[in-house]
Amino acid sequence: MPTTPFQSQSRLNLPAVLANARVRKGIAVALIGGVFLLGTGALYWRASADAAIGAAPPLPVQTQSIVFETGYTVEQRYAGRVEARQQTRVAFERAGLVEDVRIEEGDRVAAGQTLAVMDQDRLNAERDRLIADRAQAVAQLELANLTSARQRQLANEGFSSKQRYDDARLSASSLQASVESIDAAIRSVDIQLEKSVLKAPFDGVIGAVLLDSGAVIDAGMAVADIFERCAPRARIGLPPAVADALTVGTQYDLEYENQTVRGQLVALRPDLESRTQVIPALFEVNEAAALPFDDVVHFRFDRAIESRGAWLPMAALVEGEKGLWSVYTVADKDGAQVITRETVEVLHIDDGRVYVRGTLRAGAQVLNSGTNRVVPGQRVALAE
């Protein structure tokens, strides 16, 4: 039976195919043997390393003993502002031309000292007119009094009617009232002249001067700010719980620009500020402190919080799982000292220290440094 080209080609390639299969099988066997030898060598090397580690001396570590406390103190700071005991914005009570401003910013003034003067020409002219009217009224009153006296005498002698006497007497009374009215008008002008001179209401220091000489102003327009020259006060808003712990008349520490100044609590307002829900407290600061008005000052208050725990350095903390914190302790196990892990909760941080509570026991030895050099279960030795 004749063969096809395909059948002829298949018979010719069959030995080659079998040869290639044997080669591939040999290579696979060789690879498996190599992997086995490598694994055996790795196990041998690891066993040698473990033996070397076990033979190494324990690592010396620095520890501290756990001492429990009943609580800790939190320093709280509250901000406030410095203010004068009295401060006001002085102004004239009437409208007019400001003739002279006699103060400058920062001037020290005494109570009653003249600060500014308004033009007084019209008032002086009005006063002169009233004085002249008074003189005329007084002259008329004198004549009326003389006439009344004569009419009374004539009426008594029967030479004049009682009507004429009454007219003269009442005319004198009317002129007397006119004189008194003019006197009142003169006093009113004098008051206006007095109000034309602006004076310091108390001993103080001038702040902002708000206008200069030559200004035409309305009544009540401010001329300058004046602050009382005495011990400044600090107004600080405090939470009700803190305010209740303070005593009026007691000295407390205030802080200004990293300096401690003493302030005496002089008043606690009985109401809460509606916006901030704090109680305003007024502290009188020693005048020698010379604090600028409206500057910021802080009140420091130590608040005791009761909670059993212990102080540790921050270097003792080890980050645990799920955001928890741990510490490493040294415990005896089978006659050796090994590293164990204890979970703690951080309650307070203060100047590089942490106040913690957790699964610690009193007297436990906690690593206070070098936590990155050890792992749980490792043999260690306590350093001297």
Side-chain angles (χ1 to χ4, degrees):
M1 182 176 183
T3 62
T4 63
F6 177 76
Q7 292 174 336
S8 175
Q9 188 177 1
S10 298
R11 293 193 185 104
L12 291 175
N13 291 337
L14 182 58
V17 171
L18 294 175
N20 289 338
R22 293 190 185 95
V23 170
R24 285 196 296 270
K25 185 176 181 181
I27 293 174
V29 171
L31 288 175
I32 292 173
V35 170
F36 177 77
L37 292 176
L38 288 175
T40 303
L43 291 174
Y44 177 78
W45 175 83
R46 181 174 179 179
S48 300
D50 290 343
I53 292 176
L59 179 70
V61 292
Q62 194 77 29
T63 64
Q64 74 175 60
S65 181
I66 288 293
V67 178
F68 284 109
E69 299 183 14
T70 58
Y72 59 95
T73 301
V74 177
E75 182 185 274
Q76 298 175 323
R77 293 161 53 91
Y78 303 96
R81 291 196 175 275
V82 181
E83 62 181 34
R85 181 180 300 178
Q86 294 186 80
Q87 64 183 71
T88 186
R89 179 162 285 185
V90 292
F92 287 104
E93 295 183 24
R94 71 179 189 89
L97 171 66
V98 179
E99 188 176 76
D100 187 17
V101 177
R102 302 180 182 179
I103 52 174
E104 296 290 344
E105 295 180 354
D107 286 351
R108 288 177 169 263
V109 296
Q113 180 178 333
T114 298
L115 307 179
V117 179
M118 294 188 73
D119 177 64
Q120 302 175 355
D121 291 342
R122 290 185 179 180
L123 291 175
N124 287 326
E126 178 65 15
R127 192 177 193 279
D128 292 341
R129 184 187 67 79
L130 290 172
I131 290 176
D133 290 345
R134 186 184 190 280
Q136 181 181 2
V138 168
Q140 292 175 352
L141 175 61
E142 184 179 358
L143 177 61
N145 286 333
L146 293 174
T147 302
S148 176
R150 292 191 189 100
Q151 290 298 323
R152 181 178 60 183
Q153 184 178 359
L154 291 173
N156 290 337
E157 295 175 354
F159 295 105
S160 177
S161 66
K162 187 174 181 60
Q163 178 66 39
R164 294 183 67 179
Y165 167 66
D166 290 339
D167 289 343
R169 179 175 58 83
L170 294 175
S171 177
S173 298
S174 177
L175 288 172
Q176 178 65 41
S178 296
V179 172
E180 293 176 358
S181 177
I182 293 172
D183 287 342
I186 292 174
R187 286 195 300 271
S188 177
V189 172
D190 288 342
I191 292 174
Q192 293 298 316
L193 287 170
E194 184 179 350
K195 298 296 184 182
S196 298
V197 179
L198 186 61
K199 297 182 179 181
F202 45 75
D203 295 345
V205 181
I206 300 300
V209 178
L210 305 174
L211 53 83
D212 296 320
S213 301
V216 178
I217 63 173
D218 294 327
M221 184 175 292
V223 176
D225 293 330
I226 180 171
F227 301 88
E228 187 178 14
R229 191 174 66 238
C230 65
R233 287 186 172 183
R235 182 182 296 270
I236 303 175
L238 302 177
V242 176
D244 290 342
L246 305 184
T247 303
V248 175
T250 304
Q251 295 277 343
Y252 294 96
D253 285 339
L254 304 177
E255 187 176 281
Y256 174 73
E257 292 187 348
N258 297 325
Q259 297 180 356
T260 300
V261 295
R262 297 291 285 174
Q264 182 178 357
L265 180 63
V266 295
L268 282 170
R269 275 184 30 187
D271 58 320
L272 283 172
E273 289 188 351
S274 58
R275 185 172 59 87
T276 58
Q277 293 297 298
V278 296
I279 294 179
L282 294 177
F283 296 86
E284 188 172 281
V285 185
N286 188 349
E287 188 174 2
L291 305 183
F293 296 137
D294 208 36
D295 207 345
V296 178
V297 66
H298 292 87
F299 170 64
R300 298 183 304 186
F301 180 75
D302 293 335
R303 181 184 177 190
I305 298 179
E306 295 183 0
S307 181
R308 188 172 184 270
W311 287 102
L312 292 174
M314 291 190 65
L317 292 179
V318 179
E319 188 173 359
E321 298 179 354
K322 299 181 180 180
L324 299 178
W325 291 100
S326 302
V327 294
Y328 286 153
T329 60
V330 177
D332 292 333
K333 184 177 182 181
D334 298 333
Q337 294 179 324
V338 296
I339 295 295
T340 60
R341 180 192 292 265
E342 301 287 346
T343 302
V344 296
E345 177 187 1
V346 177
L347 299 178
H348 182 59
I349 301 176
D350 180 26
D351 194 22
R353 300 185 306 160
V354 290
Y355 190 80
V356 300
R357 66 182 177 186
T359 59
L360 297 171
R361 57 179 177 81
Q365 298 298 315
V366 177
L367 268 70
N368 54 20
S369 62
T371 56
N372 60 321
R373 299 183 304 151
V374 297
V375 293
Q378 182 177 342
R379 294 177 58 219
V380 295
L382 297 181
E384 295 183 358

